[in-house]
Amino acid sequence: MKSLILLTGARFLVPLFLVFSLYVLLRGHNAPGGGFIGGLIAACGFTLYAFAAGVEAARKALRIDPRTIGILGLICALIGAFASAFTGQEPFAGVWGEVWGYAVSSVLVFDIGVYLAVFGGMLTLIFALEETA
Amino acid sequence: MAEQRTGSGKARVFGYAGAIAAAVMAGLLSLALPEVLAGGRVLFGIDWAPSLGVSLAFMLDGLSLTFALLITGIGSLIFLYATGYMGDHPRFGRFVLFLFAFMLSMLGVVMARDLITLFVFWELTSVTSYLLIGFDHENAQARRNALQAMLVTAAGGLALLAGFILIGLAGGSFDLAQILTGPGLQDSSYYTPILILVLLGAFTKSAQFPFHFWLPNAMAAPTPVSAYLHSATMVKAGVYLLARLHPVLGDTPAWQGSLTAAGLVTAVMASILALRQTDLKQALAYTTLMALGTITLFLAGSSEYALTAAVTFLIVHSLYKAALFMVVGAIDHGTGSRDVALLGGLRGALPITALAAALAGLSMAGVPPLIGWIGKELLYAGAATISPEPLVILGVLTANALMVAVAGVVALRPFWGARIKTPHIPHEAPWQMWVGPLLLGGLGLVFGLGAGLLQPMIEAMLTTGFGRDHAAELHLWAGFNLPFFLSLATFAMGITLYLMRDRYRRAIADLLARLPGFDPGWDRFLDHFRTFAAWQTRLIQPGRLTAYLTATFVVMVLAIGGALLLRRPVIAIDLSAPLLIWVIAAVTAAGAVLTLGTRSRIAAISGIGTTGIGVTLIFIFFGAPDVATTQLMVETLSAVLFAIAALRLPAIVERRSKSRQLAHAVLAGAVGLTVTLIVLAVTTHPLDRHITSFFEENSYSLAHGLNIVNVILVDFRAFDTFGELTVVFLASVGAYAVLKRRSRKAGP
């Protein structure tokens, strides 16, 4: 059951979802948002696309298997968590630095990990359900 | 066995590496000798879980160093022996790994300074010995026996853990160095439970009656493993524990009574059964039981004689037992048989093995001038100090006389007398296989002639291990005293038994046929246990979602709702709210009613979605944008998930009876009421803001973030978040695996 209206709409909406999810991820430190919400929003975007164009198309558009994305997320979170080892602090302590005038931190790396793990986890589940049901 | 020996033999290098590594460890350990012999304790280690008072700490004193040297020294010879015995086995590399892991676990047990550390290593020995006993895993009997050994010893280990925790509570510390120098726990109110639990642990590990049945079965292991487990390690762990805790728990009627009874019964019973065996390895297994019983029996005592006898016999036994097991393996290897009836006159074909066997066998029989003679004299001297003395002396005399006879069967019979045709043409073992037994047998002679050589070590064990002023002296010739005449009686009885062994075997076999066996009892027990486990699994895990939910909700209503009602909370209901909130609440409620009332799945899903969106609106209204966004996303995704799954199911058909529907309705109402009560009770109390204000104050200064929710998630509570992430992702992968497996089964 393919709907032309949904498919056309999804083509416009999915990029918006993704960009918005990145925006939410990055602003999360000082304003409502963060990796968890961002990951959910991005997952919603791809779910919409999977509904409109089919799971196979969605998997192709994603290019990487969602399970791999989830594992990358966990690894990313671990890197963020243990970056503090280089400064001699305990694990999960934030490390802060400055790049071209922007404050960056291991906390952001951790948050990106959260984003990817949630995104990958949700899509693993949804794609699998769609394919089997 | 023959068809398995197809490996390339390249793994031999691991065997040599293991032997060298163990020897180096023995060398390193002996660096501690000067300080330990001077009566000191060498302490080292690192903090492990300091908040729980648990540390990875080690201690070397007379007792632990003796054990550690036996473990590494004999271990090194065992690695060498195994290389000759089974170096061409296709899984030899794995074997060496298991054996090494086992050796390290044993070292951990005897060197642990912390009771929890000791327990962890104790369980590790159970696990690694399981792998070793069941190494021949294609053999069902080997698997069964390995499992039996592990279940018995690990169950004892759990009792031991409980005992250790009680010791920690009673003594205020898990640190052995502190516990041992403390006042002892004999007067503690926990003493009886501690004693019972610790004895359960030690008796299962050291195979004391009535837990002895696993040990002869553990003979399913390859011979190098038996030689190791039954001489210096595994079974000695229980004895080590008894010796270690002797100052803390010993010297009471309960300790003396239980150790005397268990030790005496085990020693006498095992020696009676040992002579009955015709398989050399089985015979040795029962003599191991006898030795363990004897050591346990002498640890019951408190006199210097009894304790000196216990520790000396421990060393004596480790030396000759390891050697004899290796000899039996060499006989098996060289002739293809371990049955005494099929062996004889092998001294010409296996001259070096015969020499090693003679040295070890004479030590086992207690013939002068070997160390075994000194050990036996000490046993008799010590037996006279353990009450009830006549019974103990009689028991030790019987056991020793039978040992003389068994030594004759194991060490003499195969090598002397007329040559009997064996399955293979007999040949001498490779050098790796005779170095160990010859060295250990030779040591028995060296320590026997130079009786003073062991004296300093025994002194150190008695002073630091048991808190005595000095040990009894080791003499090759102690004069015409009671032990001397008892020794003469032992030889007379032993030689008589040896000559009458065939008639003796028949008599014992007749007797045993009429007694219930322990092993069938164990199998019956396991069968019943499995039936029980299956029954209770069906009871708790029926596999129906309604059953799980009912159980969860009933507990929730009874525990939380009941507790709330009992507490009689002050609840103030404030109905003043803007009209908009009332409208949102009405929509939320309408969604719930729709879900309950409809027969259409799509309508039910829409109803749940409506409720969720209603809750989201309330979050927005009360200024929680983060929560609201998350809620919105979660609602969307769960509606999608529900839709995918539920829309493919048939329409809802009511199959429940009226009474069951009513029961569910009552339960649902009770849950709703409970949650409402909780919310009202919580909101009536003034909000405790001290955690909130901590985050408000520190969010920016410590974590450079203004969004408190996110700062908590990724910084203050990042560890929790990481745990949750792992759960979320693994749950998805788990669901993925289940779904894909289903579709592959049903699919094309």
Side-chain angles (χ1 to χ4, degrees):
Chain A
M1 182 190 68
K2 292 256 168 88
S3 151
L4 187 63
I5 301 176
L6 187 59
L7 185 59
T8 317
R11 289 236 164 94
F12 287 102
L13 282 174
V14 173
L16 276 180
F17 265 103
L18 292 181
V19 172
F20 186 64
S21 76
L22 289 177
Y23 167 69
V24 165
L25 161 71
L26 292 177
R27 83 198 280 260
H29 206 61
N30 288 325
F36 198 85
I37 305 174
L40 286 174
I41 294 174
C44 277
F46 262 92
T47 307
L48 178 65
Y49 191 65
F51 267 34
V55 178
E56 208 173 316
R59 275 193 191 276
K60 224 174 253 168
L62 191 58
R63 285 160 197 272
I64 308 170
D65 190 304
R67 286 175 297 169
T68 316
I69 297 179
I71 290 167
L72 285 178
L74 288 184
I75 293 172
C76 198
L78 270 186
I79 292 173
F82 288 100
S84 49
F86 293 103
T87 59
Q89 289 166 284
E90 67 262 36
F92 294 99
V95 182
W96 288 81
E98 201 168 284
V99 178
W100 298 309
Y102 289 98
V104 290
S105 69
S106 66
V107 174
L108 181 64
V109 179
F110 185 82
D111 218 7
I112 293 171
V114 174
Y115 176 96
L116 291 176
V118 170
F119 178 68
M122 291 318 293
L123 284 187
T124 302
L125 185 58
I126 288 167
F127 284 180
L129 263 175
E130 269 282 271
E131 280 165 346
T132 41
Chain B
M1 285 295 279
E3 72 279 1
Q4 290 184 5
R5 299 186 180 229
T6 49
S8 60
K10 278 184 189 157
R12 276 176 206 276
V13 62
F14 297 123
Y16 293 123
I20 292 168
V24 167
M25 281 156 100
L28 287 176
L29 283 167
S30 47
L31 291 181
L33 267 176
E35 188 167 346
V36 168
L37 290 183
R41 282 203 172 99
V42 183
L43 306 173
F44 55 101
I46 51 167
D47 270 352
W48 190 357
S51 51
L52 294 173
V54 177
S55 52
L56 190 61
F58 299 102
M59 170 176 83
L60 277 175
D61 64 357
L63 202 56
S64 41
L65 186 61
T66 307
F67 273 91
L69 284 175
L70 285 173
I71 291 166
T72 47
I74 295 184
S76 173
L77 297 174
I78 294 283
F79 276 112
L80 192 62
Y81 180 81
T83 311
Y85 184 79
M86 53 193 294
D88 50 359
H89 192 288
R91 286 180 277 117
F92 184 65
R94 191 189 303 184
F95 178 81
V96 171
L97 176 71
F98 291 165
L99 199 62
F100 206 82
F102 175 75
M103 185 181 82
L104 290 182
S105 319
M106 259 330 280
L107 270 183
V109 169
V110 299
M111 287 165 58
R113 176 186 164 181
D114 183 279
L115 284 179
I116 303 299
T117 315
L118 197 158
F119 168 75
V120 170
F121 283 114
W122 180 280
E123 292 295 68
L124 277 175
T125 62
S126 291
V127 174
T128 45
S129 66
Y130 167 76
L131 295 172
L132 285 170
I133 297 171
F135 182 70
D136 186 13
H137 60 71
E138 282 149 17
N139 180 344
Q141 192 64 30
R143 293 201 302 270
R144 174 208 175 263
N145 292 348
L147 190 63
Q148 184 185 45
M150 183 163 86
L151 287 178
V152 173
T153 55
L158 288 182
L160 190 65
L161 176 62
F164 280 172
I165 290 172
L166 284 183
I167 291 180
L169 288 178
S173 167
F174 289 112
D175 184 349
L176 267 175
Q178 268 183 46
I179 296 170
L180 290 176
T181 47
L185 299 171
Q186 285 89 345
D187 298 327
S188 159
S189 51
Y190 291 133
Y191 178 72
T192 313
I194 290 177
L195 184 67
I196 293 172
L197 292 165
V198 167
L199 289 188
L200 268 176
F203 284 2
T204 48
K205 199 79 162 183
S206 278
Q208 295 299 298
F209 182 85
F211 306 110
H212 59 282
F213 51 89
W214 69 264
L215 193 141
N217 288 337
M219 286 297 133
T223 301
V225 173
S226 310
Y228 198 35
L229 259 61
H230 291 215
S231 60
T233 59
M234 184 73 174
V235 294
K236 288 282 166 68
V239 176
Y240 168 77
L241 189 72
L242 292 178
R244 182 87 283 173
L245 295 177
H246 188 282
V248 189
L249 299 175
D251 259 341
T252 67
W255 171 278
Q256 285 161 358
S258 45
L259 263 69
T260 310
L264 203 56
V265 170
T266 311
V268 173
M269 180 200 66
S271 53
I272 290 174
L273 291 176
L275 187 55
R276 188 222 156 201
Q277 306 298 326
T278 52
D279 180 337
L280 291 174
K281 225 173 138 185
Q282 282 292 337
L284 285 179
Y286 280 99
T287 64
T288 302
L289 276 180
M290 173 272 175
L292 294 170
T294 307
I295 298 170
T296 306
L297 169 65
F298 281 83
L299 286 173
S302 318
S303 69
E304 272 129 35
Y305 279 108
L307 295 174
T308 309
V311 295
T312 313
F313 187 61
L314 186 139
I315 300 175
V316 172
H317 171 253
S318 296
L319 294 177
Y320 78 65
K321 185 52 63 70
L324 282 181
F325 264 114
M326 291 196 249
V327 163
V328 167
I331 295 176
D332 192 9
H333 187 264
T335 67
S337 174
R338 296 197 311 243
D339 194 326
V340 262
L342 301 176
L343 300 165
L346 293 172
R347 65 184 180 284
L350 289 82
I352 310 176
T353 308
L355 177 62
L359 284 170
L362 290 176
S363 185
M364 177 174 168
V367 174
L370 288 121
I371 181 77
W373 159 262
I374 299 173
K376 187 154 48 102
E377 296 272 287
L378 281 167
L379 286 186
Y380 286 130
T385 67
I386 301 171
S387 69
E389 291 87 355
L391 198 61
V392 171
I393 292 180
L394 189 66
V396 175
L397 182 66
T398 316
N400 272 330
L402 282 156
M403 281 310 102
V404 173
V406 176
V409 170
V410 175
L412 293 181
R413 185 76 195 78
F415 296 101
W416 304 90
R419 178 76 170 268
I420 301 177
K421 197 169 177 304
T422 49
H424 300 172
I425 296 166
H427 61 85
E428 180 59 279
W431 68 271
Q432 298 99 328
M433 286 175 67
W434 55 251
V435 166
L438 196 62
L439 192 63
L440 293 174
L443 273 180
L445 185 63
V446 171
F447 287 141
L449 288 172
L453 287 174
L454 275 181
Q455 188 73 38
M457 202 67 200
I458 305 239
E459 288 282 353
M461 283 160 100
L462 265 276
T463 49
T464 54
F466 296 99
R468 308 287 139 167
D469 294 333
H470 53 83
E473 286 206 22
L474 276 62
H475 287 299
L476 197 53
W477 172 244
F480 293 105
N481 49 14
L482 178 69
F484 177 73
F485 291 113
L486 285 171
S487 284
L488 290 187
T490 311
F491 289 135
M493 280 169 70
I495 292 166
T496 317
L497 282 165
Y498 176 74
L499 295 173
M500 291 169 54
R501 63 187 182 280
D502 289 331
R503 221 192 291 163
Y504 172 91
R505 272 185 201 133
R506 276 195 298 279
I508 296 287
D510 283 352
L511 184 67
L512 283 182
R514 281 183 225 137
L515 292 174
F518 269 83
D519 235 24
W522 167 261
D523 286 334
R524 265 200 307 285
F525 164 74
L526 266 196
D527 281 345
H528 288 308
F529 194 74
R530 280 195 200 102
T531 317
F532 169 76
W535 170 79
Q536 66 108 25
T537 307
R538 275 196 306 277
L539 187 74
I540 304 175
Q541 303 283 350
R544 276 180 298 116
L545 196 56
T546 29
Y548 296 132
L549 287 178
T550 310
T552 312
F553 286 146
V554 166
V555 170
M556 178 181 159
V557 167
L558 289 182
I560 302 179
L564 261 178
L565 285 181
L566 283 179
R567 286 276 189 91
R568 300 187 176 282
V570 192
I571 288 174
I573 301 176
D574 178 11
L575 291 178
S576 60
L579 183 62
L580 183 60
I581 292 297
W582 282 107
V583 172
I584 296 173
V587 170
T588 311
V593 172
L594 173 69
T595 311
L596 281 179
T598 183
R599 285 284 158 91
S600 147
R601 289 190 193 272
I602 190 95
I605 292 166
S606 313
I608 295 174
T610 310
T611 311
I613 300 296
V615 174
T616 310
L617 287 174
I618 290 177
F619 282 140
I620 292 177
F621 199 83
F622 286 99
D626 282 82
V627 189
T629 327
T630 313
Q631 173 82 9
L632 187 67
M633 290 300 124
V634 169
E635 285 302 330
T636 313
L637 285 171
S638 42
V640 167
L641 289 174
F642 273 134
I644 297 171
L647 289 181
R648 274 135 175 120
L649 295 175
I652 304 170
V653 182
E654 184 56 68
R655 289 203 199 83
R656 293 172 300 178
S657 64
K658 278 275 172 236
S659 58
R660 184 159 277 240
Q661 283 189 46
L662 191 69
H664 284 174
V666 169
L667 183 59
V671 171
L673 210 62
T674 304
V675 174
T676 312
L677 262 181
I678 294 171
V679 173
L680 286 176
V682 168
T683 48
T684 305
H685 277 282
L687 186 61
D688 179 5
R689 286 194 57 87
H690 93 268
I691 294 175
T692 320
S693 44
F694 167 82
F695 287 124
E696 276 171 357
E697 278 162 27
N698 295 309
S699 175
Y700 194 74
S701 54
L702 290 180
H704 316 285
L706 291 171
N707 176 3
I708 298 178
V709 177
N710 199 49
V711 165
I712 292 174
L713 278 177
V714 298
D715 202 327
F716 287 119
R717 290 278 174 270
F719 186 58
D720 297 356
T721 308
F722 186 74
E724 284 153 19
L725 274 193
T726 316
V727 169
V728 166
F729 183 67
L730 286 186
S732 306
V733 171
Y736 175 88
V738 171
L739 288 167
K740 288 291 172 183
R741 201 175 66 117
R742 264 241 184 109
S743 70
R744 201 174 304 149
K745 257 188 208 161

